[in-house]
Amino acid sequence: MKTQNIPVSPAFIAISWIAMIGGSVVYLAGLWQAGMELNEKGYYFSVLILALFAAVSLQKTVRDRQENIPTTRLYYGVCLLAFGLSVALLVIGLVNATLMPSEKGFYGVSFFMALFGAVAVQKNTRDNQFTEQGIPVNNNVENTLE
């Protein structure tokens, strides 16, 4: 049995972009319309930006390590710490916010949808780049070649 490159489907690429852009836009639209002080809006905006960057960086670092591409433990740790802190900051902010539970859920769902989309878009981009270059991709799909 050999691992075979299977291109990422256009449907998964599209839904990944929709999740990332849709989650971010919905989160930011809710933030724009919120009756919060500007410093609160800045806090939630900064948390989203940190989380998106940390999620993509962490996914790339984990993938690099799986493919035996040299990465430092320090960078991996920083990515993990930044991602964990961004999620913790969102949770702490929402728990202490004077928002209705439905509003808190709105921010949480759109936040995590944007994170999922960002990670999936980065993965798809890398997989497609490798597939185009003929570099084997470890996508955990094994097919029997006859």
Side-chain angles (χ1 to χ4, degrees):
M1 299 185 96
K2 290 188 175 182
T3 301
Q4 194 177 46
N5 281 351
I6 298 174
V8 180
S9 73
F12 188 67
I13 291 171
I15 200 68
S16 299
W17 278 99
I18 290 168
M20 182 183 72
I21 293 170
S24 298
V25 166
V26 167
Y27 182 94
L28 294 173
L31 203 52
W32 180 267
Q33 296 295 321
M36 300 177 188
E37 296 289 325
L38 191 55
N39 62 336
E40 287 179 280
K41 290 181 180 185
Y43 172 83
Y44 287 110
F45 176 75
S46 298
V47 167
L48 177 66
I49 298 305
L50 173 62
L52 289 172
F53 178 78
V56 169
S57 294
L58 180 60
Q59 192 276 341
K60 183 186 180 320
T61 304
V62 168
R63 177 88 176 256
D64 285 350
R65 294 176 125 211
Q66 288 177 341
E67 295 171 356
N68 296 320
I69 297 171
T71 59
T72 64
R73 286 185 184 178
L74 178 62
Y75 188 74
Y76 173 73
V78 168
C79 290
L80 195 56
L81 179 66
F83 180 76
L85 283 175
S86 65
V87 171
L89 287 170
L90 179 78
V91 170
I92 291 166
L94 290 178
V95 165
N96 292 304
T98 56
L99 299 171
M100 293 175 30
S102 60
E103 291 175 298
K104 293 178 181 185
F106 164 85
Y107 285 111
V109 168
S110 58
F111 178 84
F112 286 108
M113 187 169 82
L115 292 185
F116 165 78
V119 168
V121 164
Q122 196 279 333
K123 179 198 176 303
N124 294 342
T125 301
R126 186 164 175 172
D127 286 351
N128 281 339
Q129 180 184 14
F130 281 11
T131 300
E132 289 170 4
Q133 295 174 356
I135 300 170
V137 176
N138 181 10
N139 53 13
N140 297 322
V141 176
E142 291 190 332
N143 296 313
T144 304
L145 298 177
E146 298 178 21

